[in-house]
Amino acid sequence: TNIGSTLDVTGATTLKNNLEVSEGTQLKKTLTVEGINYFNNATAATGKNTGAVQVKGGISVNGASYFDSTVTFNGGLTMNDSLTVKKNVNINGTLTVDGATTLKNTLEVQKKTTLKDALEVIGAAVLKSTLGVDGATTLNNTLGVTGKTTLSDELDVAKGALFQSDINVQGIGKFNKNEPADNTGNTGSV
C-alpha cells in the first residue's frame, strides 16, 4: 500500500514486521524500546553538537556502561562511589583531595614538592641528594653519619659528648671548664 500523504492514526498501532523510515523521524513524546537499540552511524563526537547520537538533556543510566574510545567532559565530573583505573592516569591540572590518600606503591615526583604540614615517615627514608632545611631541626633519637660532616657554624652540645677516635682541631680550641686533674688520668678539664 502506498500512501502519498499524511497518515493519521488515533489509536494504538501494531506492526508485526520491520519499520523502515527513509527520512528523518520526529517523536514528540516518550520512546520506549524493550529490545536492543542499534545506531549504525559511526560519526565520532568532537564537540557538543557532533557525533552519531546527540542528546540535549541529561542521561540516566541504571546499568553498567562501556566506552571503547575516549570520553571527554567539558564540565565537572562528580562520582559518588569508587573509581577504578587499570592503566595510567594523566592529569594536566591540579589534583585536590579532601580525604586521606593511600598509595600502595612508589610515588615519583619529578618537580618541586611543597608540604604545608608535617611529614611523617614510618619506615626508613633514603635521600640520594642534598637535604636543605631552612628552619630548626629536632631529632628525638640517634643521628648516625657514615661520611664526612661539615658544620659551617658553631656546634653547641648541651650534654656530654663521646668521641671514639682522635679530634683534629685546625683552629684554636677553647675549653671553658676549669677542673683540676689528679694522678689517675680520669679527671681534668681536658
Side-chain angles (χ1 to χ4, degrees):
T1 301
N2 295 323
I3 300 175
S5 183
T6 303
L7 174 63
D8 189 359
V9 181
T10 57
T13 301
T14 302
L15 301 176
K16 295 184 178 181
N17 208 322
N18 295 333
L19 172 64
E20 181 176 346
V21 181
S22 300
E23 299 290 338
T25 302
Q26 182 178 3
L27 301 176
K28 294 183 177 181
K29 286 194 175 182
T30 305
L31 171 63
T32 302
V33 180
E34 295 181 357
I36 298 176
N37 282 326
Y38 294 95
F39 297 91
N40 296 324
N41 191 299
T43 302
T46 57
K48 65 178 182 179
N49 295 321
T50 62
V53 179
Q54 300 178 26
V55 181
K56 292 184 178 180
I59 299 177
S60 177
V61 181
N62 293 326
S65 299
Y66 176 82
F67 296 91
D68 195 34
S69 186
T70 304
V71 179
T72 302
F73 297 94
N74 287 331
L77 174 63
T78 301
M79 309 194 70
N80 296 324
D81 208 331
S82 302
L83 171 64
T84 301
V85 181
K86 295 183 179 180
K87 291 190 177 182
N88 296 335
V89 177
N90 296 322
I91 300 175
N92 295 325
T94 303
L95 173 63
T96 302
V97 181
D98 292 332
T101 303
T102 302
L103 302 176
K104 295 183 178 180
N105 208 320
T106 304
L107 171 64
E108 180 179 347
V109 181
Q110 295 181 357
K111 291 189 177 181
K112 182 180 179 181
T113 302
T114 301
L115 301 176
K116 295 183 178 180
D117 206 332
L119 171 64
E120 181 179 353
V121 181
I122 298 176
V126 178
L127 301 176
K128 296 183 179 180
S129 186
T130 304
L131 173 64
V133 180
D134 293 332
T137 302
T138 302
L139 301 176
N140 295 324
N141 208 321
T142 304
L143 172 63
V145 181
T146 58
K148 181 179 178 181
T149 303
T150 301
L151 301 177
S152 300
D153 207 330
E154 295 181 357
L155 173 63
D156 187 3
V157 182
K159 293 186 178 181
L162 174 62
F163 297 91
Q164 298 181 356
S165 185
D166 297 337
I167 302 176
N168 184 9
V169 180
Q170 295 181 356
I172 298 174
K174 295 181 180 181
F175 301 91
N176 296 324
K177 187 174 181 180
N178 186 9
E179 182 177 335
D182 58 18
N183 58 1
T184 62
N186 295 325
T187 59
S189 299
V190 179

